Amino acid sequence: MPILGNGFELGGYTRPDATQFNELPAHVWPATARRRGADEPRPGSVEVGGVSLAEIAEEFGTPVFVVDELDFRSRCRSMAEAFRGAANVHYASKAFLSKAIARWVREEGLHLDVASGNEMAIALAADFPAADMTFHGNNKSRSELRDAVAAGVGRIVLDSRSELRRLSEVAAEAGVVQDVLVRVKPGVEAHTHEFIATAHEDQKFGFSIASGSALAAADAVEADPNLRLVGLHCHIGSQIVDADGFILAAERVFGVVEALVARHGTEISEHFHILDLGAASASPTPPASSRWTWPRLPTRYSAPSRSWRSASESRLRTSRWSPAAPSWARRW
């Protein structure tokens, strides 16, 4: 059997040398991950935060999620620095949310995106300030909207005309004026898989800029006594690896802002102050050359969490040997 590179040729597949599994790429694993030395308990095993992953698997079973708090918090701070303030960054709870995660996000000063009533309930149970939450989702029920308004959620993102009408009715019943963002589709072809691209015209999220429905929805909110337009939101997709899509999306969203100012005057700036450019960066994978860093943008940024959550988190499962990971633990 011929030897090819670092492995053996097996029916067209090259099996990696087992020594490759000893490597713990720093940009993939949590910051505290390391392999134990020969003079330590369970030599050769991987630990995160000083705790052996093998011991965790034995105690709690698998699959199990292990989150490195130190790594998670450091990534929160890096995002806050890149986007000029922790309040400009919203952790997307759909990436992973527990009461502990919500508490860490709050303590680091970040805000929170929720996309369901249950996510909001978890955050509230962790005493996360409702005023620092933004409620997303393209099919929010009347009961979810009612709960969000009652809790005092800071902003609700409107995704459709029917939702605009429902929220207006709910806010009127509660006797409040609810701050909202209008989700717009900038028609951007993000460099990602078509199933997770969310900004092109032929998808269900938000109002189209090209058709004029985005501007019409913003006008409708401006005219609604129960709603206050505080900004626009767009989301270009997931697994994003470069900033080109953000730049194009920002240019098109600014076009809507210019049209709003032309129609309603500069007085709109008294309450309109948010441009929310959302997306999810790609989870880091080897080689290190595939890494990239977020550009510094003078805007609120939403939903960056997938990239830092995946690096802060280890997922363990027991399985037979696979070419992707050691038999007792797999890092996704």
Side-chain angles (χ1 to χ4, degrees):
M1 183 178 296
I3 297 177
L4 297 178
N6 291 325
F8 296 91
E9 183 180 14
L10 298 174
Y13 168 73
T14 301
R15 175 173 174 170
D17 191 309
T19 59
Q20 293 179 336
F21 297 137
N22 291 326
E23 300 175 2
L24 301 177
H27 66 291
V28 176
W29 284 81
T32 62
R34 72 178 189 92
R35 194 172 294 281
R36 290 183 172 177
D39 59 344
E40 297 179 274
R42 293 183 177 271
S45 67
V46 177
E47 67 173 40
V48 172
V51 181
S52 167
L53 296 185
E55 293 173 2
I56 290 175
E58 289 178 356
E59 180 175 353
F60 297 99
T62 62
V64 60
F65 288 78
V66 181
V67 183
D68 181 351
E69 180 179 357
L70 178 64
D71 187 278
F72 186 95
R73 288 180 181 273
S74 70
R75 293 173 187 274
C76 287
R77 293 164 191 169
S78 295
M79 286 285 183
E81 180 182 0
F83 292 94
R84 306 180 186 180
N88 293 327
V89 181
H90 281 53
Y91 176 82
S93 58
K94 65 182 178 181
F96 179 71
L97 186 67
S98 65
K99 289 197 291 186
I101 292 291
R103 186 178 68 252
W104 298 348
V105 172
R106 183 191 74 230
E107 291 171 354
E108 293 300 327
L110 274 63
H111 289 197
L112 188 69
D113 278 351
V114 297
S116 71
N118 285 336
E119 289 178 356
M120 180 178 66
I122 292 172
L124 292 173
D127 295 324
F128 198 96
D132 292 341
M133 293 185 205
T134 297
F135 201 135
H136 281 273
N138 69 321
N139 191 27
K140 296 183 281 293
S141 68
R142 182 178 292 272
S143 62
E144 286 178 320
L145 293 174
R146 188 178 295 114
D147 290 344
V149 170
V153 165
R155 290 153 298 276
I156 297 177
V157 180
L158 296 176
D159 212 87
S160 66
R161 279 282 187 165
S162 59
E163 186 171 270
L164 192 160
R165 290 191 294 269
R166 284 199 300 273
L167 181 57
S168 178
E169 293 168 358
V170 168
E173 293 170 1
V176 302
V177 177
Q178 176 63 49
D179 287 352
V180 302
L181 289 86
V182 170
R183 179 167 183 167
V184 302
K185 291 186 289 189
V188 171
E189 186 69 25
H191 297 298
T192 187
H193 193 282
E194 61 176 324
F195 289 171
I196 51 177
T198 57
H200 54 80
E201 290 293 327
D202 187 23
Q203 52 86 19
K204 62 186 178 182
F205 303 107
F207 300 90
S208 166
I209 292 178
S211 70
S213 65
L215 182 58
D219 284 337
V221 174
E222 275 292 294
D224 195 308
N226 306 308
L227 305 176
R228 181 186 297 109
L229 181 66
V230 298
L232 301 177
H233 163 75
C234 72
H235 189 285
I236 63 174
S238 299
Q239 298 297 94
I240 306 300
V241 297
D242 62 56
D244 293 345
F246 289 104
I247 295 171
L248 181 56
E251 291 173 349
R252 294 182 179 178
V253 174
F254 270 116
V256 180
V257 175
E258 291 174 349
L260 284 171
V261 172
R263 292 192 183 200
H264 303 283
T266 56
E267 294 81 7
I268 195 175
S269 65
E270 294 177 2
H271 54 270
F272 187 104
H273 56 90
I274 296 174
L275 290 181
D276 181 3
L277 304 180
S281 62
S283 297
T285 57
S289 59
S290 66
R291 298 182 69 193
W292 74 293
T293 56
W294 288 100
R296 293 181 67 87
L297 298 175
T299 180
R300 174 175 169 249
Y301 176 73
S302 172
S305 52
R306 190 167 287 112
S307 64
W308 92 63
R309 183 251 18 217
S310 61
S312 302
E313 173 187 279
S314 301
R315 308 184 197 184
L316 306 183
R317 72 173 186 178
T318 53
S319 65
R320 295 183 179 181
W321 184 90
S322 80
S327 60
W328 60 269
R330 181 174 178 179
R331 174 72 172 83
W332 291 353

